[in-house]
Amino acid sequence: MAHRNKPDQNFIDEINKCITVLQNGGIILYPTDTVWGIGCDATNEDAVKKIYQLKKRVNTKTMICLVANDFMLEKHVEKVPEVAFDIIDIADKPTTIVYDNPKNVAQNLIAKDNSLAIRVATDKFCQYLISKFKKPIVSTSANLSGEPTAKSFKEISSDILKGVDYAVNLQRNIQKVTPSSIIKLSNDGKVKVIRK
């Protein structure tokens, strides 16, 4: 049996395939710490545009960005409020935080009010992938805009499957039903729960 902490070859191969696609500005379909997600390099405006087109989603609807750790988070937000780290530490489920003044990301990911939803990934696959890619990755649910979120790989529509450059071949049988909590932290210290 593989050593518990060392990922197996299949896991590493999947990560490497994703990285090749991401580096080439492509989009991937991958299991996140919440539901199956469509992702791309969060610093590549053209790649972000491809996701909006695939989901038939207007650019004004913002998407979530995943980072591997607190250090990466600080590279993409002007100033991370102290309370954010407390929330991340005590959260008992994946928690996305909307921050003011994001930086070093694709312009078309940033909301009109100059904010961006970012989550520090808790899932092993996402953490490895993002750490190795060294850049944040977009995460948006694998469904067309207005359609229900797919709870498992087999519920993902053929339009989405055909539209991505690569679909990860891991965790396909696992039901993933819980979207993350979303909390908005404004620089003036206001905290607002958007989705519990």
Side-chain angles (χ1 to χ4, degrees):
M1 213 176 105
H3 187 258
R4 200 166 50 113
N5 294 330
K6 193 172 184 305
D8 63 17
Q9 196 50 51
N10 185 23
F11 182 92
I12 292 165
D13 290 344
E14 290 295 322
I15 297 268
N16 292 336
K17 284 175 191 162
C18 286
I19 286 176
T20 304
V21 171
L22 294 168
Q23 284 169 337
N24 291 320
I27 52 182
I28 59 170
L29 178 62
Y30 67 114
T32 74
D33 42 4
T34 56
V35 293
W36 273 83
I38 303 171
C40 70
D41 175 350
T43 66
N44 180 334
E45 212 155 309
D46 290 334
V48 171
K49 203 180 290 169
K50 282 185 198 167
I51 294 185
Y52 283 123
Q53 286 164 345
L54 173 60
K55 288 194 61 147
K56 301 183 169 47
R57 189 171 184 172
V58 277
N59 272 24
T60 51
K61 285 231 179 160
T62 53
M63 298 187 286
I64 291 171
C65 208
L66 293 181
V67 293
N69 47 41
D70 294 353
F71 174 69
M72 191 182 270
L73 172 65
E74 294 187 271
K75 287 191 356 202
H76 294 282
V77 177
E78 205 59 64
K79 183 175 187 333
V80 178
E82 270 312 304
V83 67
F85 298 114
D86 298 336
I87 292 171
I88 293 165
D89 288 344
I90 60 168
D92 55 0
K93 65 180 261 192
T95 300
T96 301
I97 299 177
V98 181
Y99 297 94
D100 287 339
N101 308 323
K103 59 179 186 177
N104 309 325
V105 292
Q107 207 46 51
N108 52 352
L109 263 186
I110 300 172
K112 284 200 164 61
D113 65 355
N114 196 26
S115 68
L116 177 62
I118 304 178
R119 183 163 79 248
V120 177
T122 51
D123 164 89
K124 184 173 113 170
F125 180 78
C126 292
Q127 283 180 333
Y128 262 88
L129 176 60
I130 299 162
S131 299
K132 199 162 179 199
F133 185 53
K134 296 185 172 59
K135 285 190 238 176
I137 293 178
V138 167
S139 173
T140 180
S141 54
N143 56 325
L144 298 175
S145 201
E147 288 188 1
T149 301
K151 293 182 177 63
S152 65
F153 186 82
K154 60 177 186 292
E155 286 183 21
I156 297 169
S157 78
S158 57
D159 290 351
I160 297 284
L161 294 170
K162 285 199 290 260
V164 297
D165 298 296
Y166 186 67
V168 171
N169 200 3
L170 294 172
Q171 301 180 29
R172 288 194 174 182
N173 303 326
I174 300 171
Q175 283 266 13
K176 291 184 163 267
V177 289
T178 323
S180 66
S181 306
I182 301 180
I183 295 170
K184 185 165 172 49
L185 291 186
S186 306
N187 281 350
D188 58 10
K190 284 200 189 88
V191 177
K192 181 180 168 206
V193 176
I194 296 174
R195 183 168 73 198
K196 260 206 157 71

